């Protein structure tokens, strides 16, 4: 299990897929508001003048020297819902992210956000 304090140390490190292909750079960590455990990260991808942030679940993620390896393919991650580098994830788009990775979605604590940035 990856702890919140641990994963925050990996900001700006490479995020790679199961085959070792670089997806992008880790930008932020989102916790599940019902458990307060790291659930997803945002990965900065795209051309230097057109960066965007895509969401990737942390289930089965491993940390190595200088990288975080996720269980999802580069292709799947690149097609994931995204936000601009200065944007905030609207609560209405949370379910879309979960659906992209074939995960069940339920609202978070008090029927509010399921994901909160840390």
């Amino acid at each position: 299990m990856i702890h919140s304090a641990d994963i925050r140390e990996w900001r700006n490190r490479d995020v790679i897929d199961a085959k070792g292909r670089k997806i992008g750079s880790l930008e932020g960590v989102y916790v599940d508001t019902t458990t307060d455990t790291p659930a997803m990260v945002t990965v900065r991808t795209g051309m230097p003048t057109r960066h965007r942030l895509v969401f990737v679940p942390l289930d089965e993620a491993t940390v190595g020297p200088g990288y975080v390896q996720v269980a999802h393919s580069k292709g799947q991650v690149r097609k994931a819902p995204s936000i601009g580098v200065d944007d905030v994830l609207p609560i209405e788009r949370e379910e879309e992210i979960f659906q992209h990775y074939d995960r069940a979605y339920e609202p978070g604590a008090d029927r509010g956000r399921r994901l909160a940035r840390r």
Side-chain angles (χ1 to χ4, degrees):
M1 177 182 192
I2 299 174
H3 300 284
S4 296
D6 299 335
I7 196 74
R8 278 188 293 228
E9 295 172 7
W10 292 95
R11 190 169 185 195
N12 295 319
R13 301 294 179 153
D14 290 344
V15 176
I16 61 173
D17 70 4
K19 294 183 178 179
R21 296 177 296 191
K22 183 178 176 182
I23 298 169
S25 300
L26 194 144
E27 191 276 335
V29 179
Y30 285 75
V31 298
D32 185 321
T33 59
T34 60
T35 63
D36 203 44
T37 58
M40 296 209 185
V41 293
T42 51
V43 179
R44 189 176 35 234
T45 64
M47 304 300 285
T49 58
R50 297 187 319 172
H51 281 140
R52 63 191 180 101
L53 302 176
V54 293
F55 289 82
V56 186
L58 279 175
D59 57 318
E60 301 178 38
T62 57
V63 178
Y67 67 85
V68 175
Q69 186 171 32
V70 295
H72 305 281
S73 72
K74 181 177 182 175
Q76 183 181 23
V77 172
R78 291 271 173 117
K79 293 177 186 172
S82 65
I83 58 175
V85 293
D86 295 324
D87 294 343
V88 175
L89 174 65
I91 191 170
E92 300 83 23
R93 297 211 43 220
E94 286 186 345
E95 186 171 4
E96 180 183 353
I97 295 165
F98 282 78
Q99 287 175 350
H100 178 77
Y101 292 103
D102 295 323
R103 292 185 165 48
Y105 175 79
E106 293 181 22
D110 298 323
R111 310 256 342 128
R113 286 190 168 278
R114 176 73 182 269
L115 299 172
R117 186 178 166 134
R118 293 280 190 252

